[in-house]
Amino acid sequence: MHSSEQAQSVVVPIPPFHYIHVLDRNTNTTRLVTGPATFIRKDHESIVLEPKKMITVTLKEYCIISHPVKRDEQGQIIEVHGQVMLDYGEEEYRFAQPPFPLYPGEELKKDVTTLTVLPPNKALLLSAIVGFKDEDGVERVPGENWLFEGPGVYKPRKEVEVLSSRSSLMISPNSALLLRALMDFTSKDGKKRVYGEQWLVKEPGAYMLGAYEECVKTVTAYHLDEKHALHVRALRTHTDDFGKRRRHGEEWLITHLDTESHIPSVNEEVVEVTSPIILSSSNYCVVCDPVDENGVPRIGKKMLVRGEKSFFLLPGESLLGGIENVYVLGEEEGIILRAQESFVDGDKNRVAGEEWMLMGPLEYVPPIEVEVLTVRKAIPLSDNE
């Protein structure tokens, strides 16, 4: 039987899990009739929707109904004069339930769709369209963003919009994520962050960016050993990773004795990676403005360092004349010296400006108070000279 003929038929069979809509022309109301049944149409009735299969939603599916029927506090459908009342302009998300029909006026806005299943290290970024209280009892305000993290099955709702999906970022050993706050909020570590603030996350493993976080870049650690050290400057006053208070603009050196690797914090900048000064047994050098045990340069002071030795120049220190060779004098050689300031030379008191000579053979390293004028060789003379 054709659909048009069936609509005008007096007797209409309705199979199981099917339904029809019947218009009563006397009251101008439309009602729902469900199967299995044999419907006998009266003269003042018209079948406006022929037998149609009910909607089936399984555990892993959902659908969206536009203009859903209104229900009272007990969940019963509200009718007025035999006509179901509709919630016009609204939407209703329906999940797993027994097969159900559409009441007159209801529309299937979105066909039965598979729910989103999130594996571990995946998440959805959600935003509240209107204010509501979610399943966990959290009051959401319009425009608020949050994450739904896997593993889990996400059930959409009309008050929430899915902005995007995201994956966890991997943090390998000796690396960190540099994050920036997109607004004022409290981060996962319980600290209050302000808009634009940056911080590091160093713990190895998977890290899921929060709703108000963005990753600026991945930072790799500097590896430190006997041949490499890190010259660092403080961008602002803070306490460093070793528990020491650093002032704005302060500079210091991090070596392998402090740590095997170092990731500069957001309060630090790397000035340079420095190499050591290596002195052999025949070398020496003079360090200008040497730093004391408190890390303060002794301006104007000098320090003599003789090999065999390897060391790093601390920030503020410099070499006077670079690495020098020890003076090695033979039997017929001498060295002319001048005192730059008064000092005690063994058992002699030298005054500033005094000059004297030392004769070989010997190895000589001039103290910081002494200037080497020249090295001379003996002039051989005959018996008559």
Side-chain angles (χ1 to χ4, degrees):
M1 183 179 295
H2 296 293
S3 59
S4 58
E5 296 176 354
Q6 191 177 38
Q8 300 302 323
S9 176
V10 175
V11 179
V12 179
I14 306 175
F17 301 110
H18 285 67
Y19 65 97
I20 63 173
H21 290 170
V22 179
L23 171 64
D24 188 328
R25 292 192 297 272
N26 289 340
T27 60
N28 200 28
T29 59
T30 304
R31 71 180 188 275
L32 173 74
V33 180
T34 60
T38 299
F39 177 73
I40 301 176
R41 183 180 62 82
K42 299 178 182 178
D43 291 340
H44 62 277
E45 294 177 334
S46 298
I47 299 176
V48 294
L49 180 66
E50 300 156 8
K52 188 173 183 179
K53 189 176 182 179
M54 293 183 181
I55 299 173
T56 302
V57 181
T58 63
L59 287 173
K60 57 182 180 180
E61 297 173 328
Y62 76 100
C63 66
I64 303 177
I65 306 299
S66 295
H67 318 306
V69 294
K70 291 184 178 181
R71 299 178 184 271
D72 58 20
E73 295 179 354
Q74 287 73 36
Q76 300 298 317
I77 296 174
I78 300 175
E79 294 186 8
V80 177
H81 305 299
Q83 178 70 55
V84 295
M85 301 300 295
L86 301 179
D87 204 354
Y88 288 102
E90 292 294 330
E91 296 177 352
E92 182 180 326
Y93 286 72
R94 295 183 183 176
F95 302 96
Q97 57 184 286
F100 63 90
L102 291 179
Y103 282 86
E106 289 186 329
E107 298 177 4
L108 182 63
K109 180 178 180 180
K110 186 172 185 178
D111 291 334
V112 177
T113 306
T114 302
L115 289 168
T116 301
V117 179
L118 294 175
N121 299 323
K122 296 286 186 179
L124 295 177
L125 178 60
L126 309 178
S127 179
I129 301 174
V130 296
F132 71 101
K133 180 183 289 187
D134 64 14
E135 297 84 354
D136 300 325
V138 179
E139 292 285 349
R140 303 292 184 182
V141 297
E144 179 182 356
N145 295 344
W146 71 98
L147 290 181
F148 179 85
E149 298 186 41
V153 178
Y154 173 68
K155 291 186 175 181
R157 55 187 301 164
K158 63 181 181 180
E159 302 91 350
V160 179
E161 176 186 8
V162 178
L163 298 181
S164 63
S165 61
R166 58 178 57 177
S167 302
S168 295
L169 301 176
M170 296 304 298
I171 305 176
S172 58
N174 293 322
S175 67
L177 296 179
L178 178 60
L179 306 183
R180 178 164 51 217
L182 299 177
M183 66 170 292
D184 297 353
F185 77 108
T186 301
S187 58
K188 295 180 181 179
D189 55 8
K191 295 182 179 179
K192 291 186 177 181
R193 307 293 183 180
V194 297
Y195 173 73
E197 180 181 352
Q198 296 185 356
W199 69 99
L200 290 176
V201 177
K202 300 180 180 179
E203 185 176 355
Y207 182 83
M208 180 64 69
L209 288 175
Y212 298 112
E213 299 173 352
E214 69 172 350
C215 181
V216 179
K217 63 179 179 179
T218 299
V219 182
T220 304
Y222 290 87
H223 295 279
L224 307 178
D225 53 28
E226 293 83 355
K227 295 183 179 180
H228 299 89
L230 211 56
H231 181 180
V232 181
R233 180 188 297 124
L235 297 176
R236 58 189 63 86
T237 301
H238 70 287
T239 301
D240 65 14
D241 293 345
F242 308 102
K244 189 170 183 179
R245 185 75 171 173
R246 301 293 184 181
R247 301 185 304 274
H248 172 68
E250 180 180 351
E251 299 182 12
W252 67 99
L253 202 68
I254 301 175
T255 69
H256 67 284
L257 299 178
D258 301 311
T259 179
E260 294 181 354
S261 61
H262 181 69
I263 300 176
S265 74
V266 295
N267 301 311
E268 303 168 356
E269 67 173 348
V270 176
V271 178
E272 62 176 342
V273 177
T274 63
S275 299
I277 304 298
I278 301 175
L279 302 177
S280 67
S281 58
S282 61
N283 296 139
Y284 74 95
C285 66
V286 177
V287 178
C288 298
D289 305 326
V291 175
D292 62 16
E293 60 276 4
N294 296 320
V296 179
R298 293 177 290 172
I299 305 299
K301 298 293 185 179
K302 297 178 182 178
M303 180 177 65
L304 178 66
V305 181
R306 182 172 180 177
E308 186 173 315
K309 191 172 185 179
S310 174
F311 66 97
F312 291 98
L313 285 177
L314 299 177
E317 295 180 340
S318 61
L319 290 185
L320 178 64
I323 297 176
E324 303 282 358
N325 292 322
V326 174
Y327 290 91
V328 180
L329 303 179
E331 291 184 357
E332 298 181 352
E333 291 180 319
I335 185 170
I336 306 299
L337 308 173
R338 177 191 294 156
Q340 294 180 315
E341 58 183 86
S342 299
F343 73 104
V344 177
D345 182 14
D347 56 353
K348 295 182 180 180
N349 292 323
R350 304 289 186 183
V351 296
E354 179 182 350
E355 296 183 3
W356 70 99
M357 175 183 283
L358 294 178
M359 300 296 296
L362 59 80
E363 287 186 357
Y364 182 72
V365 177
I368 57 176
E369 301 89 355
V370 174
E371 175 187 5
V372 176
L373 297 181
T374 184
V375 176
R376 293 180 179 177
K377 290 187 177 182
I379 300 175
L381 299 176
S382 64
D383 294 340
N384 297 324
E385 293 179 328

